[in-house]
Every structure is written in structure tokens, then in C-alpha cells.
């Protein structure tokens, strides 16, 4: 059964550095999502992407965040200048309507 | 606006006993309701969803959930817990009249003791 995959599984970075989190959605899905979960807190919606553009985004998804689908398979989340509070588990998801989630990337900002 | 609450951070149950993981929701219109499970080092796996119809929804791994409109609840249940059911469980809701973006609860850790 096809699955959403994410790399890396764990990323450690210094405050102020840029990070790119990578996702390979399920191939025939049309909608792509990023969610994050700060340790012990809710799973929070960041952004959805459809037809090569952002369809919805939350208040969390500010100018330091960007998403891209650079080719036919990858879907990336870039954080330009990481802050300590960006430390979280980041989940990619894809779906036709209701999302299937990847295993997540744990981002640790030191 | 849509929101979901999982009032228990952790649920402990003995193997073989029935389990319940609680979820309540709030939406403006009608809800689509979901349960996801997260095993260690794994992604969120879909368990079941309620869209319409029968209030009792059956899902994967023997789990079921009961939609109760008057109590705005969607509790997850299983008649006989297994140690392998130990995981983090997330309830989610989206408004049928709103966006496709589900809102998640903060999760409940289920621990099944042998």
C-alpha cells in the first residue's frame, strides 16, 4: 500500500539556520499538507497545497515558512530562519480529500 | 470555527479489558470526525471516520467509535484491549460546510498493561 514518506526523520539545526523538510506524497493525490506538533501539544495545521499553489494556511505559517513542489514527486517545507519555538514534529500529508500522513520529521532547533 | 477536545492525556487499561478514549468536538455545521493512531516512530495512521449514517463506526484493528450528536462526542472504543494497542490516539474534526482541513486534538496516550 502506498505511503507518504518524509526525510530526514530527525533534523538538528542551530537557531537562525534554514532547514528544508522533504516529503514524497502518494503519487495520485492532489492535495498536500504540512502539520506540526510541538511536544505534548496539539497537531496543528500549517498549510495546504493544491494545483501548485497554497490553498489554505494557518496563522502559524508566516513569512519564514514556504512550500514548494519542485518536481512531480517531492513536496518541501522550508523554514528560513529557525527559532527555538520551531522545534516540533512536522508531518506531511497528502490526499484527495482526507489526508494520509507521513511518519514525520522531528526538528530540533538549538 | 471547529475544535476538538481530548480530555485525557493518558488512559491506562489492562489487556483484555474494554477501552474508551474520549473526544468531544465543536463545529458550526455538521461534523466529519476522524480517529488516527500514532505508533512510536510512525506517522499518523487513519483508524476510522464518521461522515453520515450509522452512529456506530467500525474501523481498523477492531476499533469502533460512536457518534453522539446531542453530547457532541465521538469516543473511540474497543471491546478487548491488546498490549499492541498502546499508542497515541488523535481525534480530528472538520466542518462539512467548511474547508477540507481537519482540526486535531492534542492526543491521548493509551497504555495497555499485560
Amino acid at each position: 500500500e502506498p505511503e507518504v514518506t518524509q526525510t530526514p526523520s530527525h533534523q538538528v539545526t542551530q537557531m537562525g539556520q534554514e532547514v528544508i523538510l522533504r516529503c514524497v506524497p502518494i503519487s495520485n493525490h492532489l492535495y498536500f499538507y504540512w502539520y506540526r506538533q510541538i511536544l505534548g501539544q496539539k497537531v496543528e495545521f500549517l498549510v495546504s497545497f493544491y494545483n501548485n499553489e497554497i490553498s489554505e494556511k494557518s496563522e502559524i505559517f508566516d513569512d519564514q515558512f514556504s512550500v514548494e513542489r519542485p518536481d512531480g514527486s517531492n513536496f518541501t517545507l522550508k523554514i528560513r530562519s529557525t527559532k527555538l519555538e520551531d522545534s516540533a514534529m512536522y508531518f506531511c500529508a497528502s490526499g484527495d480529500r482526507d489526508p494520509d500522513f507521513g511518519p514525520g520529521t522531528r526538528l530540533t532547533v538549538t | 470555527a471547529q475544535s476538538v477536545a481530548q480530555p485525557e492525556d493518558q488512559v491506562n487499561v489492562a489487556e483484555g479489558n474494554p477501552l474508551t478514549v474520549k473526544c468531544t468536538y465543536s463545529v458550526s455545521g455538521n461534523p466529519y470526525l476522524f480517529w488516527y493512531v500514532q505508533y512510536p516512530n510512525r506517522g499518523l495512521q487513519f483508524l476510522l471516520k464518521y461522515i453520515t449514517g450509522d452512529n456506530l463506526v467500525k474501523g481498523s484493528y477492531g476499533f469502533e467509535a460512536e457518534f453522539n450528536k446531542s453530547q457532541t462526542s465521538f469516543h473511540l472504543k474497543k471491546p478487548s484491549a491488546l498490549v499492541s494497542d498502546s499508542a497515541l490516539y488523535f481525534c480530528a474534526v472538520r466542518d462539512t460546510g467548511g474547508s477540507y482541513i481537519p482540526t486535531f486534538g492534542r492526543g491521548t496516550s493509551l497504555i495497555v498493561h499485560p
Side-chain angles (χ1 to χ4, degrees):
Chain A
E1 188 172 333
E3 292 183 335
V4 176
T5 59
Q6 290 184 244
T7 54
S9 57
H10 190 191
Q11 173 91 45
V12 181
T13 190
Q14 289 189 328
M15 193 169 53
Q17 295 296 305
E18 175 182 286
V19 294
I20 298 175
L21 309 182
R22 291 183 167 80
C23 168
V24 179
I26 295 172
S27 62
N28 61 340
H29 284 172
L30 302 177
Y31 292 84
F32 312 111
Y33 309 83
W34 283 100
Y35 282 77
R36 79 173 184 190
Q37 183 188 23
I38 295 172
L39 187 63
Q41 298 187 27
K42 291 183 180 184
V43 176
E44 301 172 297
F45 167 72
L46 292 178
V47 65
S48 64
F49 194 84
Y50 172 74
N51 200 24
N52 288 320
E53 61 183 23
I54 291 173
S55 51
E56 287 193 54
K57 61 182 181 178
S58 70
E59 293 175 352
I60 302 167
F61 194 86
D62 60 22
D63 291 344
Q64 71 162 336
F65 291 94
S66 62
V67 290
E68 195 176 32
R69 190 157 161 81
D71 52 41
S73 59
N74 291 287
F75 180 51
T76 62
L77 175 69
K78 181 191 289 186
I79 309 175
R80 285 189 186 80
S81 178
T82 50
K83 298 178 278 195
L84 294 176
E85 54 264 37
D86 293 328
S87 295
M89 181 73 87
Y90 287 81
F91 291 105
C92 174
S94 69
D96 293 325
R97 289 290 176 89
D98 300 317
D100 293 312
F101 285 84
T105 293
R106 180 167 297 285
L107 176 65
T108 302
V109 182
T110 61
Chain B
Q2 57 193 36
S3 65
V4 63
Q6 294 180 244
E8 304 152 316
D9 290 335
Q10 185 171 301
V11 169
N12 290 278
V13 65
E15 188 174 31
N17 283 0
L19 69 87
T20 299
V21 182
K22 295 179 180 176
C23 171
T24 58
Y25 67 89
S26 174
V27 293
S28 304
N30 293 314
Y32 282 1
L33 291 153
F34 308 83
W35 276 102
Y36 288 84
V37 60
Q38 184 183 22
Y39 297 101
N41 301 314
R42 299 292 301 276
L44 295 169
Q45 296 181 37
F46 171 79
L47 271 182
L48 51 79
K49 69 178 175 183
Y50 170 83
I51 297 176
T52 187
D54 195 345
N55 289 344
L56 186 64
V57 179
K58 294 190 183 297
S60 307
Y61 313 120
F63 283 92
E64 57 190 28
E66 186 167 12
F67 170 61
N68 187 317
K69 188 173 183 177
S70 63
Q71 297 185 3
T72 61
S73 67
F74 190 58
H75 301 330
L76 182 71
K77 300 181 180 184
K78 186 173 182 180
S80 178
L82 301 172
V83 173
S84 57
D85 292 329
S86 299
L88 197 56
Y89 290 81
F90 292 92
C91 182
V93 67
R94 67 176 175 90
D95 191 328
T96 59
S99 78
Y100 295 123
I101 311 301
T103 297
F104 282 78
R106 57 187 293 168
T108 299
S109 177
L110 173 66
I111 299 174
V112 181
H113 302 278

